[in-house]
Amino acid sequence: MADHQNPSEENFVNFFKGWLVRQQSFLKQLLHSISSDTTNQQQQTSLIQQVLAHYQEYYDEKAKIARNDVFLLFCPLWLSSFERSLLWVAGYKPSLVFKIVDGAVKDLTAEQTLRMEEVKAKTGKKERALMETLVRFQESVAAPPMLALVRQVGRLTDGEISSLDLTIEALKTAMLQVIEGVDSLCKSTLLSFIFKQEGGDCKGTRKEQQLAWCEINGKGMFSQ
């Protein structure tokens, strides 16, 4: 953890610590619900909705820090060096959800299995599109005009400083759009996995859903 943090980073670090504590609390509740014979369907549904709201809170706070300083999310100092090595685009890869819960949800019908494969294919396609967009932005930074300005920092004229500032602001805006796209895909992938698209009916049994949530909570994929 860095000794000097800007206010937005410090606020997020404090939020994140509390968020992880609440995540562990939800994991315990999910495990208890699975092992208990007294938990009814309404209680199970309520718990799943609370977990969904918990993750939405994370994305809301992440969006705030992104608007304040988007580059912080590409090297978050509140994560360990190992955790940072696992990041994809300022977060976890959306398709990782399928690997984490592989085998947790069983006995799907042929229709549900087909739907799952469709979600996987769509997620993979959108991941590739987002990555291509990010690569284009990175290549624009490495373009000769931009590199020339960066190398002359400290010796730039007023006009050149203004040009560099405008370029950096444009890059921030582009990076923010990519992160918003990634987070949107993460959420839609998760919801597509947990629910059917028509009518919000749950895939599989609620106990199977809770097993999947335990896998997600236990491995901490949303802490990235």
Side-chain angles (χ1 to χ4, degrees):
M1 187 74 64
D3 294 331
H4 303 288
Q5 297 175 330
N6 64 41
S8 61
E9 181 182 4
E10 185 175 2
N11 289 339
F12 185 82
V13 168
N14 291 333
F15 159 78
F16 187 61
K17 289 178 180 178
W19 188 88
L20 288 177
V21 171
R22 294 190 294 278
Q23 184 188 39
Q24 288 303 307
S25 175
F26 280 121
L27 175 58
K28 291 178 181 178
Q29 292 180 61
L30 286 166
L31 290 171
H32 174 74
S33 179
I34 290 172
S35 61
S36 175
D37 294 328
T38 60
T39 305
N40 60 42
Q41 181 172 314
Q42 184 177 358
Q43 291 173 320
Q44 292 173 339
T45 300
S46 175
L47 181 55
I48 291 173
Q49 292 300 325
Q50 289 178 60
V51 174
L52 285 171
H54 175 65
Y55 291 134
Q56 182 60 53
E57 183 184 20
Y58 168 79
Y59 285 115
D60 290 343
E61 290 298 320
K62 182 180 176 183
K64 290 179 183 178
I65 194 173
R67 289 191 291 268
N68 286 322
D69 189 348
V70 66
F71 297 124
L72 278 176
L73 293 176
F74 285 88
C75 189
L77 298 179
W78 52 87
L79 299 180
S80 68
S81 57
F82 173 72
E83 288 171 324
R84 290 198 294 272
S85 73
L86 300 177
L87 295 180
W88 181 55
V89 180
Y92 78 93
K93 201 169 186 178
S95 58
L96 185 60
V97 67
F98 301 113
K99 296 179 181 179
I100 287 182
V101 300
D102 184 34
V105 178
K106 302 176 181 178
D107 299 325
L108 295 179
T109 66
E111 180 183 356
Q112 290 169 338
T113 300
L114 177 60
R115 189 184 299 278
M116 184 66 63
E117 292 304 315
E118 291 174 348
V119 172
K120 286 182 181 180
K122 290 179 180 178
T123 299
K125 182 177 180 180
K126 291 180 180 179
E127 283 179 345
R128 290 190 291 274
L130 286 165
M131 197 64 205
E132 289 171 0
T133 300
L134 180 60
V135 169
R136 287 198 299 271
F137 293 147
Q138 292 173 328
E139 289 176 343
S140 70
V141 174
M146 181 63 173
L147 283 180
L149 288 174
V150 172
R151 287 168 179 167
Q152 296 179 52
V153 169
R155 296 178 285 122
L156 297 175
T157 64
D158 289 343
E160 288 173 328
I161 291 175
S162 177
S163 177
L164 180 60
D165 288 343
L166 288 173
T167 302
I168 291 176
E169 285 303 313
L171 180 61
K172 286 181 179 179
T173 300
M175 290 297 201
L176 183 57
Q177 291 174 348
V178 171
I179 289 179
E180 288 174 346
V182 171
D183 286 351
S184 177
L185 180 57
C186 286
K187 290 184 287 186
S188 65
T189 299
L190 182 62
L191 290 175
S192 294
F193 172 77
I194 297 297
F195 299 103
K196 286 184 178 180
Q197 294 179 358
E198 295 86 13
D201 295 326
C202 298
K203 287 188 174 187
T205 67
R206 279 177 168 71
K207 185 156 291 189
E208 286 169 343
Q209 289 182 64
Q210 289 171 315
L211 283 169
W213 277 116
C214 286
E215 288 292 311
I216 293 170
N217 277 271
K219 291 181 170 35
M221 63 180 293
F222 285 90
S223 66
Q224 303 301 325

